[in-house]
Amino acid sequence: MVGPPKSLRDLRKIEANLIVTCRTCRHSHEFDRETLIVDLMRRRRNLDWYLLPHHFRCTCGSKDVRLSVVAFADRLRDETRQRFAEAIELVRWSVNRAGKEPIQTEALRVALARLSCHCPDPSWCDRLYRDAGSNNPISISASVYGGWRGILRQLGLPDE
């Protein structure tokens, strides 16, 4: 790849991951390229490089972000990256099932524990797990989804 990437898919050529840095508070977060591509495509978002900054918001609320890449990131900490992606998917699946069936499971607790070490405020993970054990299906789905959105914002991932 010569020059800046034209699309998020161009990062595959150099096995790179995306780093999003807030220009206001200097908080930065690294995203797994394949997970991000799948997530954005699932939500029918554009993968063009010049449009990518519009998909991110910092935990401080700022939309003013800078994109950079980490080349050959696939060779670094693959196991850690895989566990993080699996935890995100398990919590996402559980949140979508909230109100239809009990979701306060051991697997959800472990996934939230994995995510809490990446969150500046881990109380969102505790709150989501506590709310998942409620008896009222309507309040479960509303409070669990609100907790999930709070976790996504802290991790710097786009809201669903």
Side-chain angles (χ1 to χ4, degrees), residues 6 19 25 29 33 35-36 52-53 59 70 74-75 83 85-86 93 95 99 123-124 138 140 153 155-156 160:
K6 308 234 179 336
I19 296 179
C25 70
H29 187 76
R33 145 193 98 249
T35 306
L36 189 58
L52 280 179
T59 55
V70 176
D74 292 347
R75 300 176 190 166
R83 286 182 180 168
E86 288 171 356
W93 180 83
V95 166
S123 68
W124 282 97
I138 295 173
I140 286 177
R153 276 190 220 111
L155 295 173
E160 300 183 338

Side-chain angles (χ1 to χ4, degrees), residues 57-158:
R57 178 183 296 239
C58 182
T59 55
C60 72
S62 173
K63 287 187 173 183
D64 189 16
V65 296
R66 181 183 65 237
L67 303 179
S68 55
V69 296
V70 176
F72 307 108
D74 292 347
R75 300 176 190 166
L76 306 171
R77 305 179 315 246
D78 286 334
E79 186 176 322
T80 303
R81 293 172 198 271
Q82 183 64 28
R83 286 182 180 168
F84 181 78
E86 288 171 356
I88 289 282
E89 284 306 311
L90 182 92
V91 175
R92 177 178 285 132
W93 180 83
S94 296
V95 166
N96 289 335
R97 302 296 308 156
K100 299 173 190 155
E101 63 185 45
I103 64 167
Q104 194 178 34
T105 61
E106 184 66 18
L108 178 64
R109 188 187 65 74
V110 170
L112 287 170
R114 269 196 195 129
L115 294 180
S116 69
C117 64
H118 298 283
C119 293
D121 181 12
S123 68
W124 282 97
C125 296
D126 297 334
R127 190 176 315 147
L128 190 150
Y129 186 72
R130 187 183 62 244
D131 291 346
S134 176
N135 292 331
N136 185 346
I138 295 173
S139 68
I140 286 177
S141 59
S143 60
V144 166
Y145 185 70
W148 174 235
R149 289 188 66 197
I151 292 169
L152 286 175
R153 276 190 220 111
Q154 286 193 24
L155 295 173
L157 295 171

